[in-house]
Amino acid sequence: MTSNRYIENTFPDYVPGCDCLQGGKISTGFVKKAKVWIKQNIETLLVHIPHFCSEESDSSVYTGTTGVAFLLLRLMDTIYKEGELNEQLTKAINLVLESSKKAIRGKRISFLCGDAGPLALAAIIAHRRGDSRKVAACLDSLTSMLDRCCNDDNLPDEMLYGRSGYLHSLLLVRRCCGAASISDAVLEKVCHAILDSGYKLARSDRSRIPLKYIWHNKEYLGAAHGYFGIFFTILQPEVVRLPVIQSALSDIKESIDVLLSLRFPSGNFPSSYGNTSDRLVQWCHGSPGAVDALTRAYEVFEDSRYLEAAERCCDVIWQRGLLQKGYGTCHGTAGNGYSFLTMYQMKKNEKHLYRALKFGEWCLDCGKHGCRTPDRPFSLYEGLAGTVNFIVDLIQQEKPNFIGYHLP
């Protein structure tokens, strides 16, 4: 059975003692197959990198060259730490760094779809190479966006284009380049702008929710444009301890409780407030984007309802998460598979690792299910690079690193 959104999941669900998991680890047979698949597809990406860079049309993390470069950088740290392929990865990243210089204008501030993404990559690479002057220049350009973040009333607060996306950039650089690279004072100003925006909008229309956020005149719930992406970001460990967030924790919690009340009987979430269609199950809209925010809320507030809601989300994803749209991370099967990895790290329940493995098996057979070909078939959020990143996380079995959303 196939719907217009997803393909029926015919995998048997988890039972203890299944052959594909051995002592809480994925079978060596799958790992070997996955590594061959990764190498083949990385070589495909490397062939296309010069063409991507020559076009100079998209340097973004979301669908452009910088997203692919972040994946290559990660592979250098995990699977290909030495050898000829590592050298090829280095050359490809250098090419991306050169091409992205021409695209940065300093006007779009978010990580995924703005200039902050290429600047963050440049800062991280410069830090690894010991180029302190380059690091300082990148940090100056990145923090120069702070004024717009705090003072542009037309700027949204969501992940893809808004303040939360800018905050993610700052947090990523801070984690990769050290706490001294981005001060608490800078983080505090961004968080104040995000909270102030939410409070103002809630007051202006006497909202039922303490912190209200909209994008294109809709209250989106999902990770890309809505509440879950915003709350996941401002509840990160180095952010949640800031005085400005501490003072707003009760309102953040109450806002998340309002979101819980909007769930469908299935356990899925609507794409936006007032939407009555229980149809979208993808990272950008629906349950997959909620799982990380709910598990983080559980860690902060120690309220078991959030973990229970995340479990329900995972059941929805298992049932409806093999997507017709393809194998990418934003609205594809790989992005949905990350929910299981998050839950496995949280609860160490083999059921979640098994489900992630089955979604991984599906992704290794990409192109064989009649799914759509995305507009940017090699990109991090729509295409092949994101699928590779998911498979890397699956076989590494460490804390998942959904590039552009999770923080390493």
Side-chain angles (χ1 to χ4, degrees):
M1 173 182 170
T2 301
S3 78
N4 63 347
R5 291 280 169 185
Y6 64 94
I7 298 171
E8 182 182 12
N9 184 356
T10 59
F11 290 120
D13 207 348
Y14 171 76
V15 293
C18 58
D19 292 338
C20 57
L21 296 179
Q22 301 166 355
K25 294 190 178 294
I26 293 172
S27 68
T28 55
F30 177 86
V31 172
K32 288 179 181 178
K33 180 180 178 182
K35 286 185 175 180
V36 170
W37 182 91
I38 290 169
K39 188 173 186 293
Q40 290 173 342
N41 285 284
I42 289 303
E43 289 171 347
T44 298
L45 288 172
L46 289 173
V47 167
H48 286 85
I49 281 282
H51 175 66
F52 295 158
C53 293
S54 66
E55 286 186 333
E56 299 177 11
S57 58
D58 187 352
S59 64
S60 74
V61 174
Y62 187 78
T63 52
T65 53
T66 303
V68 177
F70 265 109
L71 169 66
L72 302 183
L73 181 63
R74 185 169 185 218
L75 290 170
M76 291 173 64
D77 291 337
T78 54
I79 298 177
Y80 306 115
K81 295 182 180 180
E82 55 186 26
E84 182 181 347
L85 191 54
N86 182 283
E87 295 175 10
Q88 294 177 39
L89 298 177
T90 301
K91 290 177 181 178
I93 291 171
N94 289 339
L95 192 59
V96 171
L97 288 172
E98 286 301 314
S99 67
S100 64
K101 289 178 184 177
K102 305 169 186 175
I104 295 173
R105 298 289 182 269
K107 296 181 179 179
R108 300 168 296 165
I109 71 168
S110 72
F111 180 80
L112 288 174
C113 294
D115 294 333
L119 283 171
L121 173 67
I124 293 166
I125 294 295
H127 175 75
R128 291 162 64 104
R129 295 174 177 174
D131 188 345
S132 58
R133 182 178 296 181
K134 178 65 175 178
V135 172
C138 292
L139 292 180
D140 284 346
S141 296
L142 195 58
T143 54
S144 71
M145 300 175 181
L146 183 62
D147 181 67
R148 185 179 176 214
C149 173
C150 296
N151 298 309
D152 186 347
D153 291 336
N154 295 317
L155 196 67
D157 297 280
E158 43 90 89
M159 283 293 296
L160 256 70
Y161 300 102
R163 295 186 180 93
S164 294
Y166 181 54
L167 180 59
H168 177 90
S169 304
L170 299 174
L171 292 173
L172 178 65
V173 169
R174 181 176 165 127
R175 288 200 182 182
C176 293
C177 301
S181 60
I182 301 293
S183 69
D184 282 357
V186 170
L187 298 180
E188 185 107 10
K189 288 178 181 178
V190 178
C191 291
H192 183 274
I194 292 171
L195 292 174
D196 188 54
S197 175
Y199 282 128
K200 282 182 179 177
L201 195 56
R203 287 195 300 266
S204 69
D205 60 3
R206 299 177 182 178
S207 175
R208 77 223 170 280
I209 192 167
L211 291 160
K212 180 176 180 178
Y213 297 102
I214 62 172
W215 187 76
H216 284 195
N217 299 315
K218 285 186 179 182
E219 283 183 74
Y220 284 101
L221 272 67
H225 297 300
Y227 287 106
F228 287 124
I230 295 168
F231 292 145
F232 177 62
T233 308
I234 64 175
L235 291 178
Q236 289 300 310
E238 55 266 71
V239 179
V240 74
R241 64 178 176 77
L242 297 173
V244 67
I245 298 296
Q246 285 289 309
S247 67
L249 278 180
S250 61
D251 291 326
I252 295 171
K253 187 177 191 301
E254 185 178 343
S255 298
I256 295 173
D257 290 344
V258 171
L259 301 183
L260 283 185
S261 73
L262 301 178
R263 284 180 295 170
F264 294 117
S266 68
N268 194 29
F269 286 89
S271 59
S272 60
Y273 179 72
N275 191 314
T276 60
S277 176
D278 181 2
R279 65 192 182 96
L280 295 181
V281 181
Q282 53 201 51
W283 174 79
C284 46
H285 299 295
S287 285
V291 170
D292 283 293
L294 291 171
T295 54
R296 186 71 199 124
Y298 167 73
E299 291 178 315
V300 172
F301 300 113
E302 299 181 342
D303 188 331
S304 62
R305 293 178 304 135
Y306 302 140
L307 198 57
E308 292 164 3
E311 284 273 13
R312 289 286 306 280
C313 287
C314 285
D315 290 338
V316 174
I317 297 163
W318 176 249
Q319 294 159 9
R320 292 191 271 156
L322 300 175
L323 299 185
Q324 283 276 19
K325 283 191 171 183
Y327 309 88
T329 46
C330 183
H331 35 263
T333 299
N336 288 354
Y338 267 110
S339 298
F340 303 133
L341 290 180
T342 292
M343 286 302 294
Y344 179 67
Q345 289 297 323
M346 175 64 62
K347 298 190 70 176
K348 297 303 180 184
N349 185 333
E350 273 196 359
K351 175 183 74 173
H352 299 299
L353 182 58
Y354 170 86
R355 289 178 169 184
L357 171 63
K358 291 303 173 184
F359 273 42
E361 287 182 1
W362 180 270
C363 288
L364 293 189
D365 287 331
C366 60
K368 299 179 181 179
H369 306 109
C371 299
R372 300 171 197 166
T373 300
D375 293 335
R376 289 90 168 182
F378 301 106
S379 65
L380 185 63
Y381 268 69
E382 289 187 358
L384 180 61
T387 313
V388 170
N389 193 55
F390 169 61
I391 299 299
V392 170
D393 270 321
L394 187 57
I395 64 174
Q396 292 287 312
Q397 291 189 8
E398 297 172 355
K399 185 177 180 181
N401 183 6
F402 188 151
I403 298 172
Y405 194 50
H406 295 160
L407 289 162

